[in-house]
Amino acid sequence: MSTRKKKVLISGAAGFLGSHLCDRFIKEGYEVIGMDNLITGDLKNIEHLFKLKEFEFFNHDISKYVHVARDLDYILHFASPASPIDYLKIPIQTLKVSSLGTHNLLGLAKAKGARILVASTSEVYGDPLVHPQNEDYWGNVNPIGPRGVYDEAKRFQEAITMAYHTYHKLETRIVRIFNTYGPRMRLNDGRVLPAFIGQALRGEDITVFGDGSQTRSFCFVDDLVEGIYRLLLSDYAYPVNIGNPDEITIMDFAQEIIKLTGTNQKIISKPLPQDDPKQRQPDITRARAILGWEPKVQRAEGLRITYEYFKSLSQEELYNSAHRFS
Ligand code: UDP
Protein backbone atom coordinates (compact mmCIF):
# COMPACT_ATOMS: atom_id res chain seq x y z
CA MET A 1 0.00 0.00 0.00
CA SER A 2 1.30 3.45 -0.92
CA THR A 3 2.11 5.73 1.97
CA ARG A 4 2.61 8.77 -0.22
CA LYS A 5 1.39 11.85 1.56
CA LYS A 6 -0.77 14.34 -0.35
CA LYS A 7 0.96 17.63 -1.03
CA VAL A 8 -0.64 21.03 -0.67
CA LEU A 9 0.79 24.44 -1.57
CA ILE A 10 -0.59 27.28 0.59
CA SER A 11 -0.01 30.88 -0.52
CA GLY A 12 -0.21 33.45 2.24
CA ALA A 13 1.04 30.74 4.60
CA ALA A 14 2.45 33.18 7.17
CA GLY A 15 -0.78 35.16 7.40
CA PHE A 16 -3.68 34.82 9.79
CA LEU A 17 -5.79 32.36 7.78
CA GLY A 18 -2.90 30.77 5.86
CA SER A 19 -1.07 29.79 9.04
CA HIS A 20 -4.18 28.15 10.53
CA LEU A 21 -4.65 26.24 7.26
CA CYS A 22 -1.01 25.06 7.42
CA ASP A 23 -1.70 23.70 10.92
CA ARG A 24 -4.88 21.94 9.80
CA PHE A 25 -3.33 20.25 6.76
CA ILE A 26 -0.28 19.13 8.76
CA LYS A 27 -2.70 17.67 11.32
CA GLU A 28 -4.57 15.85 8.54
CA GLY A 29 -1.31 14.19 7.41
CA TYR A 30 -0.46 16.30 4.36
CA GLU A 31 2.91 17.64 3.25
CA VAL A 32 2.56 21.41 3.29
CA ILE A 33 4.54 23.85 1.17
CA GLY A 34 4.00 27.35 2.50
CA MET A 35 4.64 30.45 0.39
CA ASP A 36 4.52 34.09 1.50
CA ASN A 37 6.35 37.32 0.71
CA LEU A 38 5.87 38.50 4.31
CA ILE A 39 4.43 41.91 3.40
CA THR A 40 1.55 41.42 5.79
CA GLY A 41 2.33 37.88 6.99
CA ASP A 42 4.63 37.09 9.91
CA LEU A 43 6.99 34.11 10.25
CA LYS A 44 6.05 33.96 13.94
CA ASN A 45 2.72 32.46 12.87
CA ILE A 46 4.41 29.39 11.40
CA GLU A 47 7.74 29.14 13.22
CA HIS A 48 6.44 26.14 15.19
CA LEU A 49 6.16 24.24 11.88
CA PHE A 50 9.76 24.73 10.73
CA LYS A 51 11.01 21.72 12.70
CA LEU A 52 8.65 19.38 10.85
CA LYS A 53 9.88 17.48 7.79
CA GLU A 54 6.34 17.69 6.36
CA PHE A 55 6.62 21.49 6.18
CA GLU A 56 8.63 23.61 3.81
CA PHE A 57 8.56 27.39 3.35
CA PHE A 58 9.39 29.64 0.41
CA ASN A 59 9.65 33.42 0.70
CA HIS A 60 8.16 34.37 -2.65
CA ASP A 61 5.78 36.93 -4.15
CA ILE A 62 3.24 34.88 -6.13
CA SER A 63 2.46 37.82 -8.42
CA LYS A 64 5.79 36.80 -10.01
CA TYR A 65 6.20 33.45 -11.77
CA VAL A 66 5.78 30.59 -9.29
CA HIS A 67 8.07 27.60 -9.62
CA VAL A 68 7.50 24.47 -7.54
CA ALA A 69 9.70 21.51 -8.47
CA ARG A 70 7.58 18.88 -6.71
CA ASP A 71 4.25 17.38 -7.64
CA LEU A 72 1.18 18.92 -6.01
CA ASP A 73 -2.30 17.59 -5.21
CA TYR A 74 -3.87 20.82 -3.96
CA ILE A 75 -3.26 24.55 -3.98
CA LEU A 76 -4.88 26.96 -1.51
CA HIS A 77 -4.57 30.61 -2.55
CA PHE A 78 -4.71 32.76 0.59
CA ALA A 79 -2.15 35.44 -0.23
CA SER A 80 -3.50 38.99 -0.11
CA PRO A 81 -3.57 42.01 2.14
CA ALA A 82 -6.95 41.64 3.81
CA SER A 83 -7.76 44.74 5.78
CA PRO A 84 -8.96 48.10 4.47
CA ILE A 85 -5.99 50.08 5.82
CA ASP A 86 -3.57 47.55 4.29
CA TYR A 87 -5.02 47.79 0.84
CA LEU A 88 -5.21 51.56 1.10
CA LYS A 89 -1.48 51.66 1.73
CA ILE A 90 -0.43 48.96 -0.75
CA PRO A 91 -3.12 49.17 -3.44
CA ILE A 92 -1.01 47.98 -6.38
CA GLN A 93 0.26 44.85 -4.59
CA THR A 94 -3.32 44.16 -3.50
CA LEU A 95 -4.48 44.27 -7.12
CA LYS A 96 -1.55 42.22 -8.36
CA VAL A 97 -1.73 39.35 -5.89
CA SER A 98 -5.35 38.47 -6.66
CA SER A 99 -4.99 39.03 -10.43
CA LEU A 100 -1.45 38.14 -11.56
CA GLY A 101 -0.94 35.95 -8.49
CA THR A 102 -4.15 34.01 -9.09
CA HIS A 103 -3.24 33.59 -12.75
CA ASN A 104 0.16 32.17 -11.80
CA LEU A 105 -1.34 29.71 -9.32
CA LEU A 106 -4.04 28.61 -11.78
CA GLY A 107 -1.29 27.96 -14.32
CA LEU A 108 0.65 26.00 -11.71
CA ALA A 109 -2.45 23.97 -10.80
CA LYS A 110 -2.98 23.16 -14.49
CA ALA A 111 0.65 22.12 -14.96
CA LYS A 112 0.56 19.90 -11.87
CA GLY A 113 -2.95 18.51 -12.37
CA ALA A 114 -3.78 19.89 -8.92
CA ARG A 115 -7.10 21.10 -7.51
CA ILE A 116 -7.08 24.76 -6.48
CA LEU A 117 -9.19 26.59 -3.91
CA VAL A 118 -9.10 30.40 -3.99
CA ALA A 119 -9.96 32.70 -1.10
CA SER A 120 -12.64 35.10 -2.19
CA THR A 121 -14.56 37.40 0.09
CA SER A 122 -17.85 38.93 1.15
CA GLU A 123 -16.35 42.12 -0.34
CA VAL A 124 -17.45 40.87 -3.77
CA TYR A 125 -20.92 41.92 -2.54
CA GLY A 126 -19.58 45.44 -1.79
CA ASP A 127 -22.06 47.59 0.15
CA PRO A 128 -24.85 45.06 -0.35
CA LEU A 129 -28.39 45.95 -1.35
CA VAL A 130 -29.57 42.42 -0.56
CA HIS A 131 -29.61 41.12 3.00
CA PRO A 132 -28.45 38.57 4.03
CA GLN A 133 -26.11 37.94 1.12
CA ASN A 134 -26.44 34.70 -0.79
CA GLU A 135 -24.10 33.53 -3.53
CA ASP A 136 -26.47 34.49 -6.35
CA TYR A 137 -26.26 38.19 -5.47
CA TRP A 138 -23.91 40.05 -7.84
CA GLY A 139 -22.98 42.82 -5.47
CA ASN A 140 -22.76 46.60 -5.24
CA VAL A 141 -19.10 47.56 -5.61
CA ASN A 142 -17.52 50.96 -6.32
CA PRO A 143 -14.67 49.99 -8.68
CA ILE A 144 -12.76 53.26 -8.25
CA GLY A 145 -13.27 53.73 -4.51
CA PRO A 146 -10.56 52.94 -1.94
CA ARG A 147 -11.84 49.36 -1.45
CA GLY A 148 -12.08 48.78 -5.20
CA VAL A 149 -8.48 47.54 -5.38
CA TYR A 150 -9.40 44.62 -3.15
CA ASP A 151 -13.01 44.04 -4.20
CA GLU A 152 -12.39 44.17 -7.94
CA ALA A 153 -9.22 42.07 -7.71
CA LYS A 154 -11.20 39.41 -5.87
CA ARG A 155 -14.00 39.62 -8.44
CA PHE A 156 -11.42 39.20 -11.20
CA GLN A 157 -10.01 36.26 -9.24
CA GLU A 158 -13.41 34.57 -9.28
CA ALA A 159 -13.82 35.25 -13.00
CA ILE A 160 -10.45 33.84 -14.02
CA THR A 161 -10.89 30.86 -11.70
CA MET A 162 -14.23 30.01 -13.34
CA ALA A 163 -12.64 30.50 -16.78
CA TYR A 164 -9.92 27.96 -15.96
CA HIS A 165 -12.64 25.65 -14.71
CA THR A 166 -14.81 25.86 -17.82
CA TYR A 167 -12.12 26.30 -20.46
CA HIS A 168 -9.29 24.12 -19.07
CA LYS A 169 -11.50 21.77 -17.01
CA LEU A 170 -9.39 22.60 -13.98
CA GLU A 171 -10.74 21.47 -10.61
CA THR A 172 -11.46 24.74 -8.82
CA ARG A 173 -13.14 25.83 -5.60
CA ILE A 174 -14.14 29.35 -4.50
CA VAL A 175 -14.78 30.25 -0.88
CA ARG A 176 -16.35 33.63 -0.05
CA ILE A 177 -15.05 34.44 3.40
CA PHE A 178 -16.96 36.74 5.75
CA ASN A 179 -15.30 38.62 8.64
CA THR A 180 -13.19 36.09 10.50
CA TYR A 181 -11.33 36.53 13.78
CA GLY A 182 -9.08 34.58 16.10
CA PRO A 183 -5.51 34.19 17.35
CA ARG A 184 -2.74 35.45 15.00
CA MET A 185 -4.68 38.40 13.65
CA ARG A 186 -2.18 41.21 13.35
CA LEU A 187 -2.63 43.70 16.16
CA ASN A 188 -1.94 46.60 13.79
CA ASP A 189 -3.91 45.43 10.77
CA GLY A 190 -6.60 48.03 11.42
CA ARG A 191 -9.51 45.63 11.53
CA VAL A 192 -12.11 46.20 14.13
CA LEU A 193 -11.36 43.35 16.52
CA PRO A 194 -7.58 43.80 16.88
CA ALA A 195 -8.16 47.57 16.92
CA PHE A 196 -10.62 47.40 19.84
CA ILE A 197 -8.70 44.78 21.85
CA GLY A 198 -5.39 46.59 21.24
CA GLN A 199 -6.94 49.85 22.44
CA ALA A 200 -8.34 48.16 25.55
CA LEU A 201 -4.98 46.57 26.39
CA ARG A 202 -3.09 49.86 25.92
CA GLY A 203 -5.66 51.85 27.90
CA GLU A 204 -6.77 53.90 24.89
CA ASP A 205 -10.28 54.96 23.95
CA ILE A 206 -12.27 52.62 21.71
CA THR A 207 -12.67 54.09 18.21
CA VAL A 208 -16.07 53.42 16.66
CA PHE A 209 -16.25 54.62 13.07
CA GLY A 210 -19.43 56.52 12.17
CA ASP A 211 -22.42 56.03 14.48
CA GLY A 212 -21.63 52.33 14.91
CA SER A 213 -24.94 51.21 13.40
CA GLN A 214 -23.16 49.34 10.58
CA THR A 215 -23.22 45.58 11.08
CA ARG A 216 -20.81 42.68 10.62
CA SER A 217 -21.11 38.95 11.33
CA PHE A 218 -17.98 37.48 12.90
CA CYS A 219 -16.82 33.89 12.38
CA PHE A 220 -14.24 32.18 14.58
CA VAL A 221 -11.21 30.98 12.62
CA ASP A 222 -11.57 27.26 13.52
CA ASP A 223 -15.08 27.22 12.04
CA LEU A 224 -13.83 28.87 8.87
CA VAL A 225 -10.97 26.39 8.48
CA GLU A 226 -13.39 23.48 8.85
CA GLY A 227 -15.61 24.95 6.12
CA ILE A 228 -12.65 25.46 3.79
CA TYR A 229 -11.41 21.92 4.41
CA ARG A 230 -14.82 20.50 3.53
CA LEU A 231 -15.17 22.69 0.44
CA LEU A 232 -11.75 21.67 -0.90
CA LEU A 233 -12.67 17.99 -0.63
CA SER A 234 -16.16 18.51 -2.08
CA ASP A 235 -16.95 18.38 -5.79
CA TYR A 236 -18.59 21.84 -5.88
CA ALA A 237 -17.00 24.41 -8.21
CA TYR A 238 -19.26 27.44 -7.61
CA PRO A 239 -18.73 30.02 -4.85
CA VAL A 240 -19.72 29.10 -1.30
CA ASN A 241 -20.18 31.61 1.54
CA ILE A 242 -18.43 30.59 4.74
CA GLY A 243 -19.21 32.80 7.72
CA ASN A 244 -21.21 33.04 10.90
CA PRO A 245 -24.69 34.57 10.42
CA ASP A 246 -24.71 35.96 13.98
CA GLU A 247 -24.91 39.67 13.06
CA ILE A 248 -24.06 42.56 15.40
CA THR A 249 -23.72 46.33 15.13
CA ILE A 250 -20.20 47.72 15.58
CA MET A 251 -21.44 49.77 18.56
CA ASP A 252 -22.72 46.62 20.31
CA PHE A 253 -19.48 44.88 19.38
CA ALA A 254 -17.51 47.68 21.06
CA GLN A 255 -19.62 47.19 24.20
CA GLU A 256 -18.88 43.45 24.13
CA ILE A 257 -15.14 44.12 23.92
CA ILE A 258 -15.35 46.63 26.79
CA LYS A 259 -17.12 44.01 28.92
CA LEU A 260 -14.69 41.24 27.92
CA THR A 261 -11.56 43.26 28.65
CA GLY A 262 -12.89 45.18 31.66
CA THR A 263 -11.41 48.39 30.28
CA ASN A 264 -12.53 51.72 31.78
CA GLN A 265 -11.95 53.55 28.52
CA LYS A 266 -14.76 55.30 26.71
CA ILE A 267 -16.05 54.91 23.18
CA ILE A 268 -15.09 57.77 20.87
CA SER A 269 -16.40 58.38 17.37
CA LYS A 270 -14.17 58.61 14.27
CA PRO A 271 -15.24 59.31 10.69
CA LEU A 272 -16.73 56.41 8.79
CA PRO A 273 -14.35 55.33 5.99
CA GLN A 274 -15.58 55.82 2.42
CA ASP A 275 -17.73 52.97 1.05
CA ASP A 276 -17.81 51.17 4.41
CA PRO A 277 -20.54 48.51 3.95
CA LYS A 278 -23.62 49.30 6.06
CA GLN A 279 -24.59 45.72 6.75
CA ARG A 280 -23.17 42.27 6.18
CA GLN A 281 -24.51 38.84 7.01
CA PRO A 282 -23.82 35.58 5.20
CA ASP A 283 -26.63 33.39 3.96
CA ILE A 284 -25.07 29.96 4.55
CA THR A 285 -27.87 27.82 3.10
CA ARG A 286 -25.51 26.55 0.40
CA ALA A 287 -22.71 25.61 2.82
CA ARG A 288 -25.23 23.78 5.01
CA ALA A 289 -26.67 21.85 2.06
CA ILE A 290 -23.49 21.01 0.16
CA LEU A 291 -20.89 20.74 2.91
CA GLY A 292 -23.05 19.86 5.91
CA TRP A 293 -21.24 22.79 7.54
CA GLU A 294 -22.29 25.45 9.99
CA PRO A 295 -20.35 27.43 12.59
CA LYS A 296 -20.04 25.91 16.06
CA VAL A 297 -18.18 28.53 18.11
CA GLN A 298 -20.32 31.21 19.79
CA ARG A 299 -18.91 34.74 19.69
CA ALA A 300 -18.48 34.87 23.50
CA GLU A 301 -16.25 31.78 23.41
CA GLY A 302 -14.32 32.85 20.29
CA LEU A 303 -13.68 36.31 21.71
CA ARG A 304 -12.41 34.84 24.99
CA ILE A 305 -9.88 32.65 23.13
CA THR A 306 -8.80 35.59 20.95
CA TYR A 307 -8.42 37.92 23.93
CA GLU A 308 -6.16 35.35 25.65
CA TYR A 309 -3.98 35.36 22.53
CA PHE A 310 -3.66 39.15 22.44
CA LYS A 311 -2.94 39.24 26.18
CA SER A 312 -0.05 36.81 25.65
CA LEU A 313 1.75 39.21 23.28
CA SER A 314 4.79 41.04 24.63
CA GLN A 315 4.64 44.70 25.67
CA GLU A 316 6.89 45.47 22.72
CA GLU A 317 4.42 43.88 20.29
CA LEU A 318 1.56 45.67 21.97
CA TYR A 319 3.12 49.13 21.88
CA ASN A 320 5.20 48.79 18.75
CA SER A 321 2.08 48.36 16.71
CA ALA A 322 2.18 51.38 14.46
CA HIS A 323 0.96 50.37 11.05
CA ARG A 324 3.59 48.48 9.04
CA PHE A 325 3.49 50.72 5.99
CA SER A 326 3.20 54.09 7.73
N1 UDP B 1 -14.31 49.88 12.61
C1 UDP B 1 -14.48 50.71 13.70
N2 UDP B 1 -13.38 51.06 14.45
C2 UDP B 1 -12.12 50.62 14.15
C3 UDP B 1 -11.95 49.76 13.04
C4 UDP B 1 -13.07 49.42 12.29
O1 UDP B 1 -15.60 51.14 14.02
O2 UDP B 1 -11.16 50.99 14.88
C5 UDP B 1 -15.49 49.50 11.81
C6 UDP B 1 -15.36 49.69 10.31
O3 UDP B 1 -15.71 51.02 9.91
C7 UDP B 1 -16.34 48.66 9.79
C8 UDP B 1 -16.28 47.55 10.82
O4 UDP B 1 -15.71 48.11 11.99
O5 UDP B 1 -17.65 49.19 9.76
C9 UDP B 1 -15.44 46.37 10.38
O6 UDP B 1 -14.22 46.88 9.90
P1 UDP B 1 -13.02 45.95 9.48
O7 UDP B 1 -11.93 46.84 8.98
O8 UDP B 1 -12.69 45.03 10.59
O9 UDP B 1 -13.57 45.02 8.30
P2 UDP B 1 -14.50 45.24 7.03
O10 UDP B 1 -14.97 46.67 6.96
O11 UDP B 1 -13.65 44.90 5.89
O12 UDP B 1 -15.63 44.32 7.26
Side-chain angles (χ1 to χ4, degrees):
M1 222 175 72
S2 164
T3 55
R4 180 189 169 280
K5 283 176 177 262
K6 297 243 186 221
K7 294 185 185 63
V8 56
L9 170 71
I10 301 180
S11 75
F16 165 47
L17 299 182
S19 66
H20 284 281
L21 286 164
C22 289
D23 287 344
R24 176 64 187 261
F25 280 84
I26 290 283
K27 197 167 136 223
E28 298 289 344
Y30 289 69
E31 281 182 26
V32 174
I33 301 157
M35 205 170 264
D36 205 300
N37 67 354
L38 305 177
I39 289 192
T40 56
D42 191 336
L43 284 181
K44 257 191 70 190
N45 291 335
I46 46 171
E47 64 187 1
H48 58 287
L49 299 175
F50 280 108
K51 60 181 182 296
L52 304 178
K53 66 178 189 322
E54 295 81 11
F55 184 74
E56 212 179 342
F57 178 76
F58 294 95
N59 184 337
H60 181 69
D61 175 357
I62 58 144
S63 62
K64 310 221 165 65
Y65 184 82
V66 181
H67 172 72
V68 176
R70 317 162 63 179
D71 54 327
L72 290 173
D73 300 284
Y74 300 110
I75 297 174
L76 298 177
H77 180 16
F78 279 73
S80 175
S83 77
I85 64 167
D86 281 354
Y87 38 85
L88 276 172
K89 298 210 174 188
I90 43 172
I92 312 293
Q93 286 101 319
T94 303
L95 278 157
K96 282 167 77 176
V97 73
S98 289
S99 54
L100 307 180
T102 301
H103 188 211
N104 287 336
L105 292 187
L106 287 165
L108 181 67
K110 182 165 156 270
K112 300 286 181 186
R115 180 182 298 176
I116 180 168
L117 180 148
V118 299
S120 187
T121 166
S122 55
E123 285 281 329
V124 299
Y125 304 123
D127 190 2
L129 305 175
V130 161
H131 193 75
Q133 295 79 52
N134 68 38
E135 293 87 347
D136 295 329
Y137 177 50
W138 293 351
N140 176 39
V141 171
N142 175 3
I144 57 164
R147 302 170 87 105
V149 296
Y150 183 70
D151 301 9
E152 294 296 0
K154 290 289 187 181
R155 288 166 70 95
F156 173 87
Q157 177 186 66
E158 291 198 7
I160 193 170
T161 299
M162 282 315 291
Y164 266 73
H165 176 69
T166 50
Y167 186 71
H168 288 307
K169 309 290 175 234
L170 192 69
E171 287 197 42
T172 56
R173 307 287 178 265
I174 299 172
V175 59
R176 289 187 182 151
I177 299 169
F178 284 65
N179 295 67
T180 305
Y181 69 97
R184 301 185 193 153
M185 286 187 99
R186 222 174 69 225
L187 198 55
N188 60 359
D189 88 351
R191 280 186 285 189
V192 66
L193 182 139
F196 286 176
I197 293 188
Q199 288 161 349
L201 287 172
R202 290 189 297 268
E204 296 166 6
D205 290 337
I206 308 296
T207 55
V208 168
F209 296 166
D211 65 4
S213 64
Q214 70 273 31
T215 69
R216 293 295 184 272
S217 306
F218 296 98
C219 183
F220 188 61
V221 63
D222 290 1
D223 282 332
L224 179 86
V225 166
E226 177 63 26
I228 290 167
Y229 189 73
R230 290 187 190 202
L231 178 60
L232 179 71
L233 300 184
S234 78
D235 58 6
Y236 194 74
Y238 292 94
V240 178
N241 289 341
I242 299 286
N244 190 325
D246 190 1
E247 185 182 5
I248 184 171
T249 68
I250 294 302
M251 185 56 83
D252 287 348
F253 190 62
Q255 300 287 2
E256 279 192 4
I257 299 293
I258 286 171
K259 204 164 150 221
L260 172 79
T261 57
T263 176
N264 296 321
Q265 300 304 128
K266 59 183 185 308
I267 292 175
I268 56 168
S269 178
K270 291 264 173 134
L272 190 67
Q274 186 190 334
D275 298 337
D276 198 281
K278 285 180 264 316
Q279 51 180 4
R280 180 180 290 156
Q281 184 194 37
D283 179 332
I284 59 166
T285 309
R286 191 177 282 183
R288 281 200 175 100
I290 291 171
L291 311 176
W293 175 89
E294 60 182 9
K296 300 261 180 288
V297 182
Q298 302 287 323
R299 198 169 52 246
E301 170 66 358
L303 287 182
R304 198 188 52 72
I305 296 167
T306 308
Y307 181 44
E308 290 304 316
Y309 166 77
F310 282 118
K311 274 200 296 190
S312 75
L313 298 179
S314 67
Q315 289 293 306
E316 193 196 337
E317 285 167 300
L318 186 60
Y319 284 94
N320 187 16
S321 62
H323 192 270
R324 280 211 186 164
F325 317 109
S326 49

